[in-house]
Amino acid sequence: MQQTNGEILMKIFNSTVVVFLMAFSSIVLSLEAGDMAPDFSLQGTDGKTYSLEQFKGKQAIVVAWYPKAFTSGCTIECKSLAENGHLLKAFDMSYFMASVDPLEKNVAFAESTKADFPLLSDPTKATAKAYDVLALYGLPKRHTIYISKQGKILKVDRSINAATSAQDIAKNLQELGIPLAESTPSEKS
């Protein structure tokens, strides 16, 4: 059965509308500064489970999403945070990297990069979807999300330089007004 030119044009038009609506809905639904952060509960490479709720009223948090453990850019970013963690620990906040990799893979990745902070695993991809970082190909986009201690999104950084990730996060924390951490008595001596 042959289609007429009108039927073909209508199919092209409908396909174009669907693609446009998908792109537009992604823009409309993306998290932005001022939005409440979706709750999460994810296992960390340190054996603990972390949730947004446990930080509310206590500390700001930073979640640096990365596409895939053991890939070049992700390794560079993780090493940046591990080697320059002192820049981040100066602030009163907790920070994590997160991916949709299984926990076992993230544990091995954390060990290989000497990460001294938890990497979170979201194998169901539910949190990645809620935070609008899941790309169409099923892996998270490299985005860093800053969340206030009240649970609001302060910033979504979509322009990540893996090599300077720690320095960039520290700069953003300062610009966002995140207070410095109080030093402990052992740090003062």
Side-chain angles (χ1 to χ4, degrees), residues 3 15 26 32 39-41 46 48 57 61 76 79 87 91 100 105-106 109 114 125-126 146 150 163 176 180 185 188:
Q3 296 179 335
S15 297
S26 168
E32 296 298 335
D39 198 12
F40 64 83
S41 181
D46 59 357
K48 298 178 185 174
I61 64 171
I76 291 167
K79 284 183 176 181
L87 299 174
F91 292 91
V100 298
K105 188 171 185 178
N106 272 343
F109 184 53
K114 298 180 176 45
K125 303 179 181 182
Y146 300 79
Q150 292 80 24
L176 291 167
L180 294 175
K188 291 179 182 176

Side-chain angles (χ1 to χ4, degrees), residues 10-133:
M10 187 54 88
K11 282 186 177 184
I12 292 171
F13 174 77
N14 288 340
S15 297
T16 304
V17 169
V18 168
V19 169
F20 173 77
L21 289 175
M22 285 175 58
F24 184 72
S25 68
S26 168
I27 293 167
V28 171
L29 299 177
S30 67
L31 287 175
E32 296 298 335
D35 292 344
M36 289 305 293
D39 198 12
F40 64 83
S41 181
L42 297 173
Q43 287 187 291
T45 53
D46 59 357
K48 298 178 185 174
T49 298
Y50 294 91
S51 70
L52 177 63
E53 191 61 35
Q54 76 189 71
F55 294 97
K56 279 190 181 172
K58 298 174 187 161
Q59 243 185 357
I61 64 171
V62 175
V63 181
W65 285 91
Y66 64 99
K68 193 168 178 62
F70 294 105
T71 57
S72 156
C74 299
T75 300
I76 291 167
E77 182 176 13
C78 195
K79 284 183 176 181
S80 171
L81 298 183
E83 293 169 2
N84 299 290
H86 62 283
L87 299 174
L88 306 179
K89 291 173 184 159
F91 292 91
D92 184 22
M93 61 90 200
S94 291
Y95 64 99
F96 309 92
M97 287 183 72
S99 76
V100 298
D101 290 308
L103 182 61
E104 301 77 27
K105 188 171 185 178
N106 272 343
V107 167
F109 184 53
E111 289 172 2
S112 76
T113 57
K114 298 180 176 45
D116 60 349
F117 57 91
L119 278 65
L120 305 179
S121 290
D122 179 24
T124 68
K125 303 179 181 182
T127 301
K129 287 177 189 170
Y131 277 81
D132 192 41
V133 298

